[in-house]
Amino acid sequence: MTQPKRIAITGAAGQIGYQLCFRIASGDLLGPTQPVILQLIEIPPALDMLRGVVMELQDAAFPLLQDVVATTDLDEGFADTDYAILVGAKPRGPGMERADLLSENGKIFGPQGKALNNVASRDVKVLVVGNPANTNALIAQANAPDLPPENFTAMTRLDHNRALAQLAEKTGVHHTMIRQMTIWGNHSSTQYPDVHQTLVGGKPTLDLIGQGWYENDFIPTVQQRGAAIIKARGASSAASAASAAIDHIRDWALGTDGDDWVSMAVPADGSYGIEPGVIYSFPCTCSDGQWKIVQGLEINEFSRARMEATDKELREERAAVEALL
Ligand SMILES: NC(=O)c1ccc[n+]([C@@H]2O[C@H](COP(=O)([O-])OP(=O)(O)OC[C@H]3O[C@@H](n4cnc5c(N)ncnc54)[C@H](O)[C@@H]3O)[C@@H](O)[C@H]2O)c1
Ligand SMILES: O=C(O)C[C@H](O)C(=O)O
């Protein structure tokens, strides 16, 4: 029998965690033949709720689900884990920026990085979803010196998928026919959704949508989509966020599709002039369980200014949490 993969989820009883558990147990993350063990981590006040989630997982009788661990202990929850999806953190409310969560949520990710460093698989792949995701990933990475630094990533796949959805709606072309979309930078309102290389049904995007709509509608809509959902739902995005987390890890583990790429916030390495020290979203391809930043894309002045603005914000966030690094 195929060895099961261990998947740890923090905040597993929350909105996103609840979605993730069932999608992963049903095989959406690693495919229909890969057995999984879920290692669910919560804080004590949410433990009863987590027990309820475990009862529902049992009742769903998923063929691929080998075991479920439910715990408030990080060493138990991260033990030997192959993947860690760090969701547990406070969501923002109406009128807040994600960076407003920094001081409260930042403290969560140091201890989690340390525990991963001590007990997780030596090749654990980490995705941070809890906001502000990029800087929380940096904190976790800094606290896990024995793990490969490139295995710490943050989620901008939701922004990527939101961009595809906006382009599909505008052009009338199904989103599966849209290739080479890029989100640069921070998962925040400074992120830069770049369509200069994007092909919609094989055609250059700007020829179809025009510079005016791109600048005045598309970019702000994608940047502000999280806030629009909070306003409409009274709670931050959950099912779409869980779905994007699954897309991120699945593509990282199983590979991206042909000539297409995805957006992943990964440790900057100097590519495109973004110096090391921040977790920055780049266009990435994945194969053999490794991500690679797509190189050689042409960057015009319009893009350069926006890429630098989001980099600046990330460096300010970094400076604000220096004590946790
Ligand atoms: N990166 C993205 O694209 C994206 C998208 C949507 C939401 N988010 C963020 O994800 C996070 C979770 O959102 P949600 O809607 O699921 O929130 P939620 O409040 O429904 O759930 C969060 C859960 O985390 C738990 N938790 C809190 N601190 C914890 C800790 N130290 N260890 C383990 N668990 C802990 C809580 O008990 C709660 O059950 C928020 O920060 C939100 O802003 C990110
Ligand atoms: O916007 C938020 O605060 C939640 C999440 O990051 C999102 O993009 O939906």
Side-chain angles (χ1 to χ4, degrees), residues 224-239:
Q224 298 293 340
R225 187 69 162 184
I229 288 170
I230 290 171
K231 190 156 174 259
R233 246 171 56 83
S236 73
S237 64

Side-chain angles (χ1 to χ4, degrees), residues 11 14-16 42-43 87-91 108 129 131 155 187 237 241:
Q15 294 198 90
I16 298 173
E42 262 294 351
I43 47 175
V87 182
K90 230 179 146 172
I108 295 173
V129 174
N131 278 316
M155 190 163 94
H187 173 65
S237 64

Side-chain angles (χ1 to χ4, degrees), residues 9-18 41-47 49 71-72 74 86-92 98 101 105 107-109 112 128-134 136 154-159 162 187 230 233 235-238 240-242 244:
I9 304 171
T10 68
Q15 294 198 90
I16 298 173
Y18 186 64
I41 303 172
E42 262 294 351
I43 47 175
L47 195 54
M49 196 157 179
T71 183
T72 57
L74 292 177
L86 307 187
V87 182
K90 230 179 146 172
R92 67 175 166 154
R98 296 184 186 96
L101 299 170
N105 285 348
K107 290 180 213 132
I108 295 173
F109 291 84
Q112 292 186 355
V128 176
V129 174
N131 278 316
N134 302 52
N136 289 338
M155 190 163 94
T156 50
R157 184 61 174 269
L158 180 56
D159 311 290
R162 287 168 170 166
H187 173 65
I230 290 171
R233 246 171 56 83
S236 73
S237 64
S240 57

Side-chain angles (χ1 to χ4, degrees), residues 251-275:
D251 287 348
W252 188 2
L254 306 182
T256 44
D257 183 17
D259 61 350
D260 203 5
W261 64 65
V262 295
S263 302
M264 297 172 72
V266 298
D269 64 356
S271 297
Y272 298 100
I274 308 300
E275 294 305 322

Side-chain angles (χ1 to χ4, degrees), residues 12-14 40-55 69-73 76:
L40 309 180
I41 303 172
E42 262 294 351
I43 47 175
L47 195 54
D48 279 345
M49 196 157 179
L50 186 62
R51 290 204 184 97
V53 175
V54 175
M55 287 158 74
V69 176
T71 183
T72 57
D73 181 81
E76 185 185 1

